[in-house]
Amino acid sequence: MSVQETLPFGPSASPMPKVYRADHLLVAQMVEAGSKVLDVGCGEGDLLQLLETKGVDGRGIELSREGVNRCVSRGLAVVQGDADTDLVNYPDDAFDYVILSQTLQATRQPKTVLENLLRIGRRAIVSFPNFGYVNMRWQLLINGQMPRTENLPATWYDTPNIHFCTIKDFVLLCGEIDVKMERAVALDRYGRPLRLNAPWWFWNLFGEQGVFLLSRAEKKGEADHRP
Amino acid sequence: MMNVQPVKNQMIASEERAHEADHPSSQVALFGADQPLRLDCGVDLAPFQIAYQTYGELNADKSNAILVCHALTMDQHIANVHPITAKPGGWLTLVGPGKPIDTSRYFVICSNVIGSCMGSTGPASTNPATGKLWGLDFPVVTIPDMVRAQAMLLDRLGIDTLFCVVGGSMGGMQALQWSVAYPHRVFSALAVACSTRHSAQNIAFHELGRQAVMADPDWRHGRYFEEGTTPHRGLGVARMAAHITYLSDAALHRKFGRRMQDRDLPTFSFDADFQVESYLRYQGSSFVDRFDANSYLYLTRAMDYFDIAADHNGVLAEAFRGTTTRFCVVSFTSDWLFPTSESRAVVHALNAGGARVSFAEIETDRGHDAFLLDVPEFIDIARAFLHSAGTVRGLTPAGR
């Protein structure tokens, strides 16, 4: 698929306060104003709060009790829960968008989680750290150690991230479970979108994280759904 | 020997309480024969009365009313000195000027539940048909009955929509029932340390308490008030058992450990050697002074029968489908009466029903009682939830 033609925005977007993270701003731009959004792994609710400024009806799930309580005390509709076990409790089509921001790599069943995202929401926005990032490769290849970066500072023995993938891996997974990639963006270490017309390998090497807007693939013929 | 002695003169205390049942130190809404309360058991209760307290001022468009639903053995005196115990209000951690339920911003209503003994009609009230106290002739009431009575009170007060309905424990059950029975009258709901159904273990504890009351010969088959007795031993034991369920292992250990009461060595008797024994006995006996034994039977029964899902084909989410109420559900880590798993089930159902819900589990070792205590994280969350809901509701902060 061609990513370039679907890329949404130029470098100068809406004038948001600088306190918002670059990847959050990017995600927020992918969400239509006034829609209903579930943020899975919403942390302390920064993205949800940003979305609410756009008139979005936002809900959140967060694993850590501290995160949840912080969100609730910010007036956000957030529940304590686990992406792996709690998404099954949400009905089909409950949201316009389901966001999984920097959380996929911490789930036990990323594929099942991804499928659930697109069952619950009409669209899913997934961002994750790219393990194919040049700095990562360098640390493993030259230093011979598990990579650590500014955004992923944990050591191998205390990281919650158990399912790292590269942008290429993720694209392959999307193909496997019949999701349609509506938009894809790779961000550099400062959270800025990489060159739009770059090829995949370039993104996979120089993107520190990938941000994908996904929707359900067109329904295939009946034959495809037979067991 | 079981030794639950009254802490003050039994007669004076029980007379005060008996007087409160018909003539409460509260405002009273009377409902005549033409306005019966339709009970789940099939009885139309009429006439009946609801005793209630209010705090703060109702605003011009009547959009700032908060209904606080009290817990099992509490009552409407949540933010004023109690007429019997002379203790300060029952929920001062949450209710008052500048508190999360800010009485300088909201109009706060708390009514005594039907079946209780502090001025709303219950087994300790006089049955106008006979001129005698109801006792066990009083029909069995349910949580939905309590809520139906509260709705009639709000109609009487001219309040259509509640800004928020708040409750902990049995009060939380009422808050959830409100949101199910009158979804369009509830803008937001704060349900703390509660569930949409009473668990088997909780029913078991309640049955223990009821059996203790009924095993007391002074209970006299529920007609103790006519025979000049009070089942204070039975009710005291019931309260002692219940009180243990309101605390936690850690809280009891922290508070009492194995420390002795006014002695250094065991007496090798069944006296209250341990501080924890002495404390429980005090809890039991002081409760008897302010609560009617039959009311205790009725209210525990109401909680036992509570099961919202059962009223919706067994599917809890159906009860909340399409609701526009903003929910906040709070549980406490050490609450083993209404453990977090119960709240989580409520939250799953609310999510499945598409509700806007916040859910926080507060870490504390203070057990079920934490909802009544000064637990800052809980207080902050209650404040933030009400504040954000108030902003959406268009309520301006106090003083503006």
Side-chain angles (χ1 to χ4, degrees):
Chain A
M1 78 173 264
S2 162
V3 176
Q4 289 85 341
E5 68 199 38
T6 58
L7 281 169
F9 21 68
S12 62
S14 59
M16 291 285 187
K18 282 195 172 174
V19 289
Y20 294 117
R21 268 166 46 184
D23 58 321
H24 284 171
L25 288 169
L26 180 66
V27 168
Q29 282 170 314
M30 291 183 176
V31 173
E32 281 173 40
S35 51
K36 196 169 173 185
V37 174
L38 176 67
D39 185 1
V40 181
C42 61
E44 297 205 336
D46 293 341
L47 176 59
L48 277 175
Q49 202 149 59
L50 170 61
L51 289 171
E52 292 209 334
T53 65
K54 291 185 69 177
V56 164
D57 180 6
R59 317 284 168 84
I61 303 179
E62 169 58 28
L63 186 59
S64 87
R65 192 159 51 220
E66 297 75 21
V68 174
N69 295 1
R70 177 86 190 101
C71 287
V72 177
S73 62
R74 290 168 89 171
L76 300 168
V78 171
V79 303
Q80 204 267 332
D82 187 333
D84 278 306
T85 54
D86 290 343
L87 290 180
V88 293
N89 296 302
Y90 287 82
D92 298 355
D93 298 313
F95 293 92
D96 298 313
Y97 299 87
V98 181
I99 297 169
L100 192 70
S101 176
Q102 306 290 319
T103 302
L104 184 69
Q105 75 282 356
T107 63
R108 281 179 195 281
Q109 303 283 347
K111 187 177 162 196
T112 310
V113 167
L114 200 55
E115 286 167 337
N116 262 318
L117 298 185
L118 281 164
R119 177 185 63 77
I120 298 167
R122 290 192 298 109
R123 290 193 168 90
I125 300 172
V126 180
S127 75
F128 56 89
N130 173 28
F131 218 66
Y133 179 49
V134 60
N135 187 6
M136 299 268 200
R137 298 189 194 197
W138 183 264
Q139 289 188 47
L140 199 55
L141 183 69
I142 303 302
N143 296 352
Q145 284 193 293
M146 286 301 284
R148 290 165 69 187
T149 66
E150 200 179 323
N151 290 337
L152 295 169
T155 55
W156 66 271
Y157 51 83
D158 66 1
T159 179
N161 301 319
I162 52 176
H163 281 126
F164 276 119
C165 69
T166 67
I167 288 177
K168 189 174 172 183
D169 288 328
F170 185 78
V171 171
L172 289 172
L173 176 62
C174 288
E176 210 174 297
I177 58 174
D178 287 338
V179 304
K180 186 174 151 197
M181 267 185 268
E182 296 202 353
R183 291 173 191 172
V185 186
L187 303 180
D188 68 14
R189 58 182 295 207
Y190 305 106
R192 296 175 307 208
L194 289 187
R195 199 147 67 75
L196 304 189
N197 57 353
W200 275 116
W201 68 262
F202 182 87
W203 280 21
N204 202 30
L205 191 57
F206 295 109
E208 200 203 27
Q209 56 176 303
V211 184
F212 289 76
L213 175 62
L214 310 170
S215 62
R216 295 169 203 161
E218 299 293 318
K219 280 213 167 174
K220 295 183 181 175
E222 283 296 314
D224 290 335
H225 291 290
R226 283 184 203 143
Chain B
M1 282 289 290
M2 187 43 233
N3 182 24
V4 177
Q5 288 300 326
V7 288
K8 66 178 182 181
N9 186 306
Q10 191 71 49
M11 276 319 284
I12 291 175
S14 56
E15 275 169 18
E16 274 176 24
R17 193 181 42 63
H19 186 75
E20 284 288 327
D22 281 329
H23 308 285
S25 316
S26 290
Q27 299 174 78
V28 176
L30 295 167
F31 296 87
D34 56 327
Q35 284 183 291
L37 175 62
R38 185 142 290 183
L39 300 174
D40 283 340
C41 66
V43 172
D44 278 354
L45 181 66
F48 72 100
Q49 70 180 41
I50 298 291
Y52 64 100
Q53 294 290 114
T54 66
Y55 312 89
E57 303 268 335
L58 187 62
N59 63 7
D61 55 359
K62 300 182 176 181
S63 63
N64 69 337
I66 294 182
L67 178 71
V68 176
C69 302
H70 69 74
L72 175 68
T73 61
M74 291 176 63
D75 51 46
Q76 69 273 32
H77 302 286
I78 50 170
N80 56 268
V81 172
H82 195 275
I84 294 178
T85 66
K87 287 183 178 165
W91 212 357
L92 284 175
T93 51
L94 216 61
V95 185
K99 304 282 175 64
I101 299 176
D102 189 342
T103 49
S104 56
R105 185 181 185 190
Y106 309 118
F107 179 60
V108 180
I109 308 151
C110 185
S111 69
N112 191 216
V113 295
I114 202 88
S116 185
C117 53
M118 286 299 290
S120 293
T121 304
S125 310
T126 303
N127 178 355
T130 63
K132 295 176 179 174
L133 299 194
W134 276 99
L136 295 194
D137 295 335
F138 191 71
V140 167
V141 294
T142 64
I143 302 286
D145 291 336
M146 296 173 185
V147 167
R148 218 170 285 127
Q150 288 160 353
M152 291 174 76
L153 172 64
L154 290 189
D155 291 342
R156 179 69 60 86
L157 297 176
I159 296 167
D160 181 54
T161 308
L162 289 166
F163 162 57
C164 193
V165 55
V166 182
S169 197
M170 187 183 85
M173 289 176 160
Q174 294 164 64
L176 292 169
Q177 174 63 25
W178 255 101
S179 72
V180 170
Y182 305 99
H184 301 298
R185 298 187 74 171
V186 181
F187 183 78
S188 64
L190 173 56
V192 188
C194 64
S195 174
T196 54
R197 48 141 217 205
H198 219 214
S199 70
Q201 177 173 272
N202 290 356
I203 295 170
F205 275 117
H206 275 174
E207 175 61 1
L208 167 72
R210 286 190 294 265
Q211 287 300 328
V213 170
M214 293 189 282
D216 187 333
D218 285 340
W219 181 59
R220 309 281 164 103
H221 298 281
R223 305 304 295 179
Y224 47 87
F225 40 82
E226 283 167 357
E227 308 206 11
T229 61
T230 310
H232 57 84
R233 284 167 301 182
L235 186 58
V237 170
R239 178 62 172 180
M240 289 166 77
H243 201 81
I244 298 168
T245 69
Y246 302 153
L247 304 174
S248 71
D249 183 27
L252 281 172
H253 186 78
R254 180 165 42 77
K255 207 164 179 176
F256 306 108
R258 291 182 50 81
R259 285 189 295 281
M260 298 263 172
Q261 179 71 31
D262 304 328
R263 66 201 71 180
D264 298 322
L265 295 168
T267 61
F268 296 101
S269 74
F270 297 105
D271 274 358
D273 278 1
F274 293 101
Q275 282 183 7
V276 65
E277 293 175 296
S278 173
Y279 169 78
L280 274 186
R281 289 182 187 190
Y282 172 79
Q283 288 298 331
S285 59
S286 62
F287 179 62
V288 173
D289 292 339
R290 68 174 178 86
F291 213 83
D292 176 62
N294 286 336
S295 267
Y296 192 75
L297 304 183
Y298 278 85
L299 297 189
T300 54
R301 204 69 185 133
M303 288 179 78
D304 293 351
Y305 281 140
F306 190 54
D307 185 352
I308 289 182
D311 300 335
H312 293 82
N313 306 317
V315 182
L316 188 55
E318 288 301 319
F320 299 113
R321 179 141 339 267
T323 181
T324 55
T325 301
R326 304 163 73 94
F327 290 88
C328 183
V329 176
V330 177
S331 70
F332 300 97
T333 50
S334 53
D335 184 349
W336 56 289
L337 202 56
F338 291 97
T340 291
S341 55
E342 296 278 338
S343 291
R344 204 177 286 286
V346 177
V347 169
H348 286 161
L350 285 166
N351 280 330
R356 182 184 167 93
V357 55
S358 302
F359 164 55
E361 182 191 33
I362 310 293
E363 183 155 27
T364 173
D365 72 354
R366 300 172 89 171
H368 181 62
D369 260 356
F371 79 96
L372 292 171
L373 303 174
D374 183 17
V375 177
E377 205 176 353
F378 164 52
I379 307 289
D380 289 348
I381 279 170
R383 186 188 303 279
F385 173 70
L386 287 167
H387 182 83
S388 67
T391 306
V392 177
R393 180 81 165 156
L395 299 178
T396 50
R400 287 196 196 160

